Amino acid sequence: MQDVILLTGAGQIGLAIARRMGHGKKIVVSDKNINNAQTVTKIMTEAGFDAVAVEADISSRKSILNMIAAAQKYGEIAMLINAAGVSPSQASIETILKVDLYGTAVLLEEVGKVIKAGGTGVTISSQSGHRMAALGAETDEQLAVTPAEELLQLEVLKPANIKDTLHAYQMAKRCNVKRVMAEAIKWGVKGARINSISPGIIVTPLALDEFNGPRGEFYKNMFAKCPAGRPGTADEVANVAELLLSQQGAFITGADFLIDGGATAAYFYGPLKLDK
């Protein structure tokens, strides 16, 4: 039996992280679209990794449990790389909240129940969660600890209080960061760690959808005016994930790392401030 890496979301960021961490482990690659999972599995297998594809929809607790059971056939789950999600230009408000918010909450909860002692995890959030004003301590706590099955009934997440798909995405990503903080307490009982990464604009197929979508000019302007002056790459996200998932990050848990080329800084205090 091997240590198992559970990778959810068969995209460029998840692939880049799995390549850093996958040596000597069984990598279970899951995606709602099995073709995507099979494509990433083929890439990894041809690069010398031991990978297998499974179909999973993280908006469904049943599907998550089936995915975990499939992974456990190979050994103990020692690592979670959650890169699953949809973007504001790809999905409806309901879908974003169901996948990015509820789905991530359930995934962190269920993997936390079975994670190997000393295991690690990282979930991919977004700079969008950092771009809203403070929600207040009470709302933050609700997002952090409300039972997952009750999350979407929170007043702040009711359809009447969500302006558009971008707002839904921002709320989901703010929730991701708060859930990671709360789950870190539970994971810690097993000596396991969980953190989140909030990337800015990273060149992936999802980002290209955004560039060509209704908010394309907004995103292009964002990276042009940020201190880095460019979008990032999946490997730059993997640089940080490698730290968080390895022993070098042994004292880091319940934390979020903003990797956005300074776009959030520019949004609050620089040339992007007037673009609110």
Side-chain angles (χ1 to χ4, degrees), residues 27-38:
I27 305 161
V28 176
V29 182
S30 72
D31 199 276
K32 184 177 182 181
N33 184 332
I34 190 63
N35 292 329
N36 292 342
Q38 289 169 340

Side-chain angles (χ1 to χ4, degrees), residues 13 23 38 136 157 168 170 177 188:
I13 291 176
H23 176 71
Q38 289 169 340
L157 296 176
Q170 290 175 326
V177 171

Side-chain angles (χ1 to χ4, degrees), residues 77-125:
I77 297 174
M79 188 175 293
L80 170 67
I81 303 167
N82 176 34
V86 291
S87 80
S89 295
Q90 290 180 320
S92 65
I93 289 173
E94 180 183 25
T95 299
I96 290 168
L97 294 178
K98 188 73 171 174
V99 175
D100 290 11
L101 191 149
Y102 166 81
T104 296
V106 173
L107 182 66
L108 296 180
E109 174 187 321
E110 294 296 347
V111 174
K113 294 175 183 177
V114 300
I115 191 73
K116 181 179 179 179
T120 55
V122 66
T123 190
I124 302 302
S125 186

Side-chain angles (χ1 to χ4, degrees), residues 123-189:
T123 190
I124 302 302
S125 186
S126 169
Q127 66 169 355
S128 284
H130 292 262
R131 292 172 66 97
M132 291 189 298
L135 297 174
E138 181 180 356
T139 300
D140 280 348
E141 185 169 357
Q142 289 175 341
L143 292 175
V145 303
T146 297
E149 298 306 323
E150 299 172 21
L151 262 174
L152 297 181
Q153 276 71 59
L154 289 175
E155 187 66 26
V156 72
L157 296 176
K158 288 183 178 177
N161 295 319
I162 301 293
K163 293 181 292 186
D164 53 27
T165 58
L166 178 61
H167 185 209
Y169 188 73
Q170 290 175 326
M171 290 299 299
K173 298 308 180 179
R174 178 69 63 87
C175 183
N176 293 168
V177 171
K178 298 304 176 183
R179 296 306 283 199
V180 162
M181 293 179 73
E183 285 294 332
I185 309 304
K186 300 174 187 176
W187 284 48
V189 174

